mmCIF file of all heavy atoms in Angstrom:
data_model
loop_
_atom_site.group_PDB
_atom_site.id
_atom_site.type_symbol
_atom_site.label_atom_id
_atom_site.label_comp_id
_atom_site.label_asym_id
_atom_site.label_seq_id
_atom_site.Cartn_x
_atom_site.Cartn_y
_atom_site.Cartn_z
ATOM 1 N N LEU A 1 56.394 65.819 48.777
ATOM 2 C CA LEU A 1 55.637 66.105 47.577
ATOM 3 C C LEU A 1 54.133 66.241 47.855
ATOM 4 O O LEU A 1 53.451 66.980 47.207
ATOM 5 C CB LEU A 1 55.877 64.856 46.642
ATOM 6 C CG LEU A 1 57.217 64.646 46.099
ATOM 7 C CD1 LEU A 1 57.387 63.462 45.326
ATOM 8 C CD2 LEU A 1 57.588 65.939 45.135
ATOM 9 N N LYS A 2 53.579 65.513 48.704
ATOM 10 C CA LYS A 2 52.096 65.582 49.008
ATOM 11 C C LYS A 2 51.784 66.947 49.641
ATOM 12 O O LYS A 2 50.811 67.535 49.318
ATOM 13 C CB LYS A 2 51.830 64.430 50.026
ATOM 14 C CG LYS A 2 51.745 63.036 49.416
ATOM 15 C CD LYS A 2 51.437 62.017 50.479
ATOM 16 C CE LYS A 2 51.284 60.585 49.844
ATOM 17 N NZ LYS A 2 51.057 59.610 50.841
ATOM 18 N N ILE A 3 52.663 67.397 50.549
ATOM 19 C CA ILE A 3 52.463 68.671 51.157
ATOM 20 C C ILE A 3 52.443 69.836 50.186
ATOM 21 O O ILE A 3 51.567 70.709 50.119
ATOM 22 C CB ILE A 3 53.517 68.994 52.244
ATOM 23 C CG1 ILE A 3 53.318 67.994 53.427
ATOM 24 C CG2 ILE A 3 53.397 70.433 52.793
ATOM 25 C CD1 ILE A 3 54.428 67.954 54.530
ATOM 26 N N ILE A 4 53.480 69.716 49.339
ATOM 27 C CA ILE A 4 53.539 70.837 48.182
ATOM 28 C C ILE A 4 52.396 70.793 47.358
ATOM 29 O O ILE A 4 51.803 71.900 46.998
ATOM 30 C CB ILE A 4 54.833 70.610 47.450
ATOM 31 C CG1 ILE A 4 56.050 70.955 48.319
ATOM 32 C CG2 ILE A 4 54.941 71.509 46.205
ATOM 33 C CD1 ILE A 4 57.410 70.570 47.711
ATOM 34 N N GLU A 5 51.933 69.627 47.055
ATOM 35 C CA GLU A 5 50.690 69.517 46.058
ATOM 36 C C GLU A 5 49.414 69.970 46.745
ATOM 37 O O GLU A 5 48.561 70.658 46.150
ATOM 38 C CB GLU A 5 50.582 68.174 45.594
ATOM 39 C CG GLU A 5 49.397 68.020 44.607
ATOM 40 C CD GLU A 5 49.454 66.665 43.859
ATOM 41 O OE1 GLU A 5 50.468 65.987 43.813
ATOM 42 O OE2 GLU A 5 48.357 66.363 43.191
ATOM 43 N N LEU A 6 49.276 69.664 48.030
ATOM 44 C CA LEU A 6 47.959 69.918 48.734
ATOM 45 C C LEU A 6 47.895 71.175 49.466
ATOM 46 O O LEU A 6 46.758 71.706 49.755
ATOM 47 C CB LEU A 6 47.671 68.710 49.672
ATOM 48 C CG LEU A 6 47.234 67.393 49.023
ATOM 49 C CD1 LEU A 6 47.285 66.287 50.041
ATOM 50 C CD2 LEU A 6 45.911 67.502 48.350
ATOM 51 N N ARG A 7 48.965 71.794 49.826
ATOM 52 C CA ARG A 7 48.888 72.952 50.690
ATOM 53 C C ARG A 7 48.060 74.084 50.047
ATOM 54 O O ARG A 7 47.343 74.752 50.742
ATOM 55 C CB ARG A 7 50.328 73.428 50.991
ATOM 56 C CG ARG A 7 50.325 74.528 52.027
ATOM 57 C CD ARG A 7 51.507 74.451 52.976
ATOM 58 N NE ARG A 7 51.256 73.615 54.151
ATOM 59 C CZ ARG A 7 52.141 73.098 54.980
ATOM 60 N NH1 ARG A 7 53.366 73.351 54.770
ATOM 61 N NH2 ARG A 7 51.811 72.361 55.971
ATOM 62 N N PRO A 8 48.197 74.355 48.739
ATOM 63 C CA PRO A 8 47.383 75.394 48.202
ATOM 64 C C PRO A 8 45.835 75.330 48.325
ATOM 65 O O PRO A 8 45.196 76.158 48.566
ATOM 66 C CB PRO A 8 47.804 75.471 46.685
ATOM 67 C CG PRO A 8 49.182 74.851 46.653
ATOM 68 C CD PRO A 8 49.198 73.877 47.665
ATOM 69 N N SER A 9 45.391 74.042 48.210
ATOM 70 C CA SER A 9 43.924 73.798 48.192
ATOM 71 C C SER A 9 43.487 73.375 49.580
ATOM 72 O O SER A 9 42.286 73.466 49.823
ATOM 73 C CB SER A 9 43.613 72.730 47.183
ATOM 74 O OG SER A 9 44.236 71.570 47.364
ATOM 75 N N CYS A 10 44.401 72.827 50.363
ATOM 76 C CA CYS A 10 44.017 72.345 51.773
ATOM 77 C C CYS A 10 45.014 72.822 52.758
ATOM 78 O O CYS A 10 45.786 72.102 53.448
ATOM 79 C CB CYS A 10 44.076 70.776 51.780
ATOM 80 S SG CYS A 10 43.146 69.969 50.465
ATOM 81 N N PRO A 11 45.030 74.263 52.936
ATOM 82 C CA PRO A 11 45.974 74.787 53.822
ATOM 83 C C PRO A 11 45.771 74.442 55.289
ATOM 84 O O PRO A 11 46.748 74.738 56.060
ATOM 85 C CB PRO A 11 45.814 76.283 53.570
ATOM 86 C CG PRO A 11 44.340 76.398 53.173
ATOM 87 C CD PRO A 11 44.086 75.178 52.332
ATOM 88 N N ASP A 12 44.628 73.958 55.651
ATOM 89 C CA ASP A 12 44.375 73.602 57.092
ATOM 90 C C ASP A 12 44.806 72.213 57.443
ATOM 91 O O ASP A 12 44.540 71.703 58.656
ATOM 92 C CB ASP A 12 42.929 73.961 57.500
ATOM 93 C CG ASP A 12 41.918 73.140 56.590
ATOM 94 O OD1 ASP A 12 42.338 72.724 55.449
ATOM 95 O OD2 ASP A 12 40.778 73.010 56.962
ATOM 96 N N ILE A 13 45.413 71.480 56.483
ATOM 97 C CA ILE A 13 45.913 70.068 56.889
ATOM 98 C C ILE A 13 47.077 70.296 57.815
ATOM 99 O O ILE A 13 47.986 71.116 57.610
ATOM 100 C CB ILE A 13 46.370 69.237 55.656
ATOM 101 C CG1 ILE A 13 45.122 68.834 54.862
ATOM 102 C CG2 ILE A 13 47.193 68.075 56.168
ATOM 103 C CD1 ILE A 13 45.466 67.917 53.688
ATOM 104 N N GLU A 14 47.138 69.524 58.878
ATOM 105 C CA GLU A 14 48.302 69.472 59.848
ATOM 106 C C GLU A 14 49.039 68.238 59.510
ATOM 107 O O GLU A 14 48.587 67.117 59.707
ATOM 108 C CB GLU A 14 47.705 69.422 61.254
ATOM 109 C CG GLU A 14 48.802 69.688 62.349
ATOM 110 C CD GLU A 14 48.111 69.721 63.729
ATOM 111 O OE1 GLU A 14 47.672 70.852 64.138
ATOM 112 O OE2 GLU A 14 47.963 68.612 64.390
ATOM 113 N N TRP A 15 50.273 68.441 59.102
ATOM 114 C CA TRP A 15 51.193 67.350 58.640
ATOM 115 C C TRP A 15 52.116 66.869 59.747
ATOM 116 O O TRP A 15 52.867 67.721 60.316
ATOM 117 C CB TRP A 15 51.955 67.870 57.374
ATOM 118 C CG TRP A 15 51.108 68.058 56.223
ATOM 119 C CD1 TRP A 15 50.710 69.320 55.724
ATOM 120 C CD2 TRP A 15 50.608 67.041 55.321
ATOM 121 N NE1 TRP A 15 49.938 69.113 54.624
ATOM 122 C CE2 TRP A 15 49.839 67.729 54.328
ATOM 123 C CE3 TRP A 15 50.693 65.670 55.180
ATOM 124 C CZ2 TRP A 15 49.160 67.111 53.273
ATOM 125 C CZ3 TRP A 15 50.027 65.049 54.164
ATOM 126 C CH2 TRP A 15 49.308 65.786 53.258
ATOM 127 N N HIS A 16 52.070 65.661 59.990
ATOM 128 C CA HIS A 16 52.943 64.963 61.060
ATOM 129 C C HIS A 16 53.888 63.995 60.451
ATOM 130 O O HIS A 16 53.459 63.122 59.663
ATOM 131 C CB HIS A 16 51.988 64.199 62.038
ATOM 132 C CG HIS A 16 51.039 65.072 62.830
ATOM 133 N ND1 HIS A 16 51.114 65.118 64.176
ATOM 134 C CD2 HIS A 16 50.067 65.883 62.432
ATOM 135 C CE1 HIS A 16 50.131 65.886 64.628
ATOM 136 N NE2 HIS A 16 49.506 66.433 63.601
ATOM 137 N N PHE A 17 55.073 64.118 60.769
ATOM 138 C CA PHE A 17 56.162 63.223 60.306
ATOM 139 C C PHE A 17 56.264 62.044 61.405
ATOM 140 O O PHE A 17 56.556 62.423 62.542
ATOM 141 C CB PHE A 17 57.454 63.795 59.968
ATOM 142 C CG PHE A 17 58.425 62.771 59.389
ATOM 143 C CD1 PHE A 17 58.286 62.405 58.058
ATOM 144 C CD2 PHE A 17 59.488 62.249 60.214
ATOM 145 C CE1 PHE A 17 59.100 61.467 57.515
ATOM 146 C CE2 PHE A 17 60.312 61.353 59.689
ATOM 147 C CZ PHE A 17 60.210 60.962 58.308
ATOM 148 N N ILE A 18 56.050 60.846 61.093
ATOM 149 C CA ILE A 18 56.095 59.680 62.071
ATOM 150 C C ILE A 18 57.024 58.614 61.743
ATOM 151 O O ILE A 18 56.848 57.559 62.239
ATOM 152 C CB ILE A 18 54.646 59.158 62.234
ATOM 153 C CG1 ILE A 18 53.999 58.621 60.893
ATOM 154 C CG2 ILE A 18 53.698 60.241 62.862
ATOM 155 C CD1 ILE A 18 52.681 57.974 61.063
ATOM 156 N N GLY A 19 57.921 58.848 60.739
ATOM 157 C CA GLY A 19 58.943 57.823 60.469
ATOM 158 C C GLY A 19 60.287 58.054 60.860
ATOM 159 O O GLY A 19 60.543 59.173 61.490
ATOM 160 N N PRO A 20 61.237 57.198 60.626
ATOM 161 C CA PRO A 20 62.646 57.429 60.968
ATOM 162 C C PRO A 20 63.207 58.562 60.209
ATOM 163 O O PRO A 20 62.849 58.737 58.990
ATOM 164 C CB PRO A 20 63.285 56.080 60.667
ATOM 165 C CG PRO A 20 62.394 55.457 59.654
ATOM 166 C CD PRO A 20 61.034 55.925 59.897
ATOM 167 N N LEU A 21 64.146 59.307 60.795
ATOM 168 C CA LEU A 21 64.674 60.509 60.123
ATOM 169 C C LEU A 21 66.203 60.427 60.191
ATOM 170 O O LEU A 21 66.812 60.467 61.252
ATOM 171 C CB LEU A 21 64.117 61.813 60.793
ATOM 172 C CG LEU A 21 64.583 63.061 60.116
ATOM 173 C CD1 LEU A 21 64.225 63.142 58.656
ATOM 174 C CD2 LEU A 21 64.119 64.260 60.982
ATOM 175 N N GLN A 22 66.862 60.474 58.997
ATOM 176 C CA GLN A 22 68.302 60.663 58.923
ATOM 177 C C GLN A 22 68.640 62.163 58.970
ATOM 178 O O GLN A 22 67.835 62.990 58.561
ATOM 179 C CB GLN A 22 68.786 60.030 57.658
ATOM 180 C CG GLN A 22 68.483 58.580 57.511
ATOM 181 C CD GLN A 22 68.812 58.034 56.157
ATOM 182 O OE1 GLN A 22 68.582 58.706 55.039
ATOM 183 N NE2 GLN A 22 69.326 56.800 55.974
ATOM 184 N N SER A 23 69.803 62.404 59.464
ATOM 185 C CA SER A 23 70.222 63.835 59.662
ATOM 186 C C SER A 23 70.347 64.574 58.361
ATOM 187 O O SER A 23 70.123 65.808 58.345
ATOM 188 C CB SER A 23 71.537 63.882 60.375
ATOM 189 O OG SER A 23 72.538 63.160 59.731
ATOM 190 N N ASN A 24 70.444 63.885 57.223
ATOM 191 C CA ASN A 24 70.593 64.661 55.993
ATOM 192 C C ASN A 24 69.233 64.976 55.370
ATOM 193 O O ASN A 24 69.183 65.591 54.335
ATOM 194 C CB ASN A 24 71.428 63.858 54.929
ATOM 195 C CG ASN A 24 70.839 62.454 54.556
ATOM 196 O OD1 ASN A 24 69.948 62.082 55.275
ATOM 197 N ND2 ASN A 24 71.244 61.955 53.482
ATOM 198 N N LYS A 25 68.158 64.604 56.062
ATOM 199 C CA LYS A 25 66.783 64.857 55.598
ATOM 200 C C LYS A 25 66.111 65.841 56.525
ATOM 201 O O LYS A 25 64.853 66.078 56.345
ATOM 202 C CB LYS A 25 66.028 63.607 55.497
ATOM 203 C CG LYS A 25 66.593 62.513 54.608
ATOM 204 C CD LYS A 25 66.228 62.645 53.194
ATOM 205 C CE LYS A 25 66.812 61.568 52.239
ATOM 206 N NZ LYS A 25 66.136 60.249 52.639
ATOM 207 N N THR A 26 66.747 66.378 57.491
ATOM 208 C CA THR A 26 66.030 67.162 58.542
ATOM 209 C C THR A 26 65.474 68.509 57.948
ATOM 210 O O THR A 26 64.473 69.018 58.344
ATOM 211 C CB THR A 26 67.011 67.531 59.645
ATOM 212 O OG1 THR A 26 68.212 68.170 59.198
ATOM 213 C CG2 THR A 26 67.378 66.351 60.515
ATOM 214 N N LYS A 27 66.106 69.042 56.945
ATOM 215 C CA LYS A 27 65.725 70.360 56.379
ATOM 216 C C LYS A 27 64.273 70.231 55.778
ATOM 217 O O LYS A 27 63.414 71.176 55.926
ATOM 218 C CB LYS A 27 66.779 70.741 55.301
ATOM 219 C CG LYS A 27 66.562 72.252 54.881
ATOM 220 C CD LYS A 27 67.815 72.673 54.016
ATOM 221 C CE LYS A 27 67.740 74.195 53.813
ATOM 222 N NZ LYS A 27 66.768 74.608 52.785
ATOM 223 N N ILE A 28 63.992 69.061 55.113
ATOM 224 C CA ILE A 28 62.714 68.950 54.549
ATOM 225 C C ILE A 28 61.656 68.951 55.639
ATOM 226 O O ILE A 28 60.569 69.570 55.507
ATOM 227 C CB ILE A 28 62.635 67.619 53.709
ATOM 228 C CG1 ILE A 28 63.591 67.678 52.513
ATOM 229 C CG2 ILE A 28 61.195 67.347 53.327
ATOM 230 C CD1 ILE A 28 63.718 66.383 51.712
ATOM 231 N N ILE A 29 61.906 68.253 56.714
ATOM 232 C CA ILE A 29 60.933 68.193 57.837
ATOM 233 C C ILE A 29 60.766 69.549 58.400
ATOM 234 O O ILE A 29 59.707 70.045 58.725
ATOM 235 C CB ILE A 29 61.388 67.148 58.906
ATOM 236 C CG1 ILE A 29 61.606 65.779 58.354
ATOM 237 C CG2 ILE A 29 60.378 67.168 60.052
ATOM 238 C CD1 ILE A 29 60.402 65.198 57.643
ATOM 239 N N ALA A 30 61.864 70.295 58.658
ATOM 240 C CA ALA A 30 61.893 71.604 59.326
ATOM 241 C C ALA A 30 61.080 72.529 58.454
ATOM 242 O O ALA A 30 60.413 73.460 58.947
ATOM 243 C CB ALA A 30 63.355 72.051 59.520
ATOM 244 N N GLU A 31 61.161 72.411 57.128
ATOM 245 C CA GLU A 31 60.591 73.437 56.245
ATOM 246 C C GLU A 31 59.113 73.133 55.886
ATOM 247 O O GLU A 31 58.435 74.073 55.570
ATOM 248 C CB GLU A 31 61.440 73.641 54.965
ATOM 249 C CG GLU A 31 62.782 74.205 55.181
ATOM 250 C CD GLU A 31 63.573 74.379 53.940
ATOM 251 O OE1 GLU A 31 63.128 73.799 52.905
ATOM 252 O OE2 GLU A 31 64.577 75.058 53.979
ATOM 253 N N HIS A 32 58.744 71.941 55.970
ATOM 254 C CA HIS A 32 57.430 71.520 55.442
ATOM 255 C C HIS A 32 56.350 71.005 56.503
ATOM 256 O O HIS A 32 55.182 71.158 56.362
ATOM 257 C CB HIS A 32 57.597 70.535 54.382
ATOM 258 C CG HIS A 32 58.177 71.117 53.153
ATOM 259 N ND1 HIS A 32 57.576 71.904 52.158
ATOM 260 C CD2 HIS A 32 59.532 70.934 52.652
ATOM 261 C CE1 HIS A 32 58.449 72.317 51.253
ATOM 262 N NE2 HIS A 32 59.688 71.684 51.495
ATOM 263 N N PHE A 33 56.911 70.324 57.502
ATOM 264 C CA PHE A 33 55.990 69.637 58.370
ATOM 265 C C PHE A 33 55.533 70.456 59.592
ATOM 266 O O PHE A 33 56.329 71.436 60.024
ATOM 267 C CB PHE A 33 56.560 68.328 58.862
ATOM 268 C CG PHE A 33 56.478 67.180 57.871
ATOM 269 C CD1 PHE A 33 57.328 67.071 56.916
ATOM 270 C CD2 PHE A 33 55.390 66.225 58.035
ATOM 271 C CE1 PHE A 33 57.264 66.010 55.922
ATOM 272 C CE2 PHE A 33 55.322 65.153 57.037
ATOM 273 C CZ PHE A 33 56.307 65.100 56.024
ATOM 274 N N ASP A 34 54.495 70.103 60.206
ATOM 275 C CA ASP A 34 53.986 70.909 61.464
ATOM 276 C C ASP A 34 54.444 70.149 62.708
ATOM 277 O O ASP A 34 54.670 70.799 63.825
ATOM 278 C CB ASP A 34 52.515 71.014 61.470
ATOM 279 C CG ASP A 34 51.957 71.674 60.177
ATOM 280 O OD1 ASP A 34 52.314 72.910 60.002
ATOM 281 O OD2 ASP A 34 51.266 70.992 59.442
ATOM 282 N N TRP A 35 54.491 68.806 62.687
ATOM 283 C CA TRP A 35 54.880 67.935 63.752
ATOM 284 C C TRP A 35 55.852 66.955 63.410
ATOM 285 O O TRP A 35 55.992 66.467 62.208
ATOM 286 C CB TRP A 35 53.650 67.199 64.317
ATOM 287 C CG TRP A 35 52.718 67.954 65.133
ATOM 288 C CD1 TRP A 35 51.802 68.873 64.685
ATOM 289 C CD2 TRP A 35 52.381 67.772 66.478
ATOM 290 N NE1 TRP A 35 50.951 69.314 65.742
ATOM 291 C CE2 TRP A 35 51.415 68.705 66.931
ATOM 292 C CE3 TRP A 35 53.047 67.007 67.515
ATOM 293 C CZ2 TRP A 35 50.935 68.796 68.166
ATOM 294 C CZ3 TRP A 35 52.431 67.128 68.764
ATOM 295 C CH2 TRP A 35 51.400 68.003 69.135
ATOM 296 N N MET A 36 56.773 66.542 64.362
ATOM 297 C CA MET A 36 57.697 65.415 64.172
ATOM 298 C C MET A 36 57.550 64.591 65.412
ATOM 299 O O MET A 36 57.874 65.040 66.487
ATOM 300 C CB MET A 36 59.094 66.089 64.014
ATOM 301 C CG MET A 36 60.158 65.113 63.341
ATOM 302 S SD MET A 36 60.770 63.889 64.480
ATOM 303 C CE MET A 36 62.211 63.301 63.581
ATOM 304 N N HIS A 37 57.205 63.297 65.162
ATOM 305 C CA HIS A 37 56.976 62.358 66.312
ATOM 306 C C HIS A 37 58.039 61.518 66.784
ATOM 307 O O HIS A 37 57.952 60.833 67.819
ATOM 308 C CB HIS A 37 55.785 61.416 65.900
ATOM 309 C CG HIS A 37 54.420 62.030 65.872
ATOM 310 N ND1 HIS A 37 53.317 61.495 66.584
ATOM 311 C CD2 HIS A 37 54.044 63.203 65.220
ATOM 312 C CE1 HIS A 37 52.253 62.220 66.313
ATOM 313 N NE2 HIS A 37 52.566 63.239 65.579
ATOM 314 N N THR A 38 59.115 61.483 66.002
ATOM 315 C CA THR A 38 60.192 60.393 66.171
ATOM 316 C C THR A 38 61.496 60.944 66.550
ATOM 317 O O THR A 38 62.555 60.420 66.208
ATOM 318 C CB THR A 38 60.323 59.525 64.925
ATOM 319 O OG1 THR A 38 60.500 60.400 63.729
ATOM 320 C CG2 THR A 38 59.048 58.699 64.664
ATOM 321 N N LEU A 39 61.521 62.010 67.317
ATOM 322 C CA LEU A 39 62.798 62.672 67.716
ATOM 323 C C LEU A 39 63.410 61.808 68.845
ATOM 324 O O LEU A 39 62.786 61.629 69.896
ATOM 325 C CB LEU A 39 62.497 64.106 68.204
ATOM 326 C CG LEU A 39 63.757 64.967 68.473
ATOM 327 C CD1 LEU A 39 64.726 64.966 67.310
ATOM 328 C CD2 LEU A 39 63.298 66.414 68.892
#
């Protein structure tokens, strides 16, 4: 939600996912984030 809201006005933010990830949520990370730290 934060990425969708901020990307138009702050396109140069680099978004890192740093939390635990369940397999049913991978699509959101793949489509929206730049980095994933917890693989």
Side-chain angles (χ1 to χ4, degrees):
L1 292 173
K2 289 175 178 178
I3 292 169
I4 290 171
E5 182 169 345
L6 286 170
R7 187 145 273 165
S9 59
C10 309
D12 55 339
I13 287 182
E14 188 175 274
W15 292 99
H16 294 238
F17 186 74
I18 58 174
L21 181 61
Q22 299 170 323
S23 58
N24 64 343
K25 303 272 182 70
T26 54
K27 194 168 189 285
I28 295 173
I29 303 303
E31 291 183 346
H32 293 284
F33 282 81
D34 304 298
W35 283 72
M36 198 282 196
H37 286 231
T38 52
L39 187 53

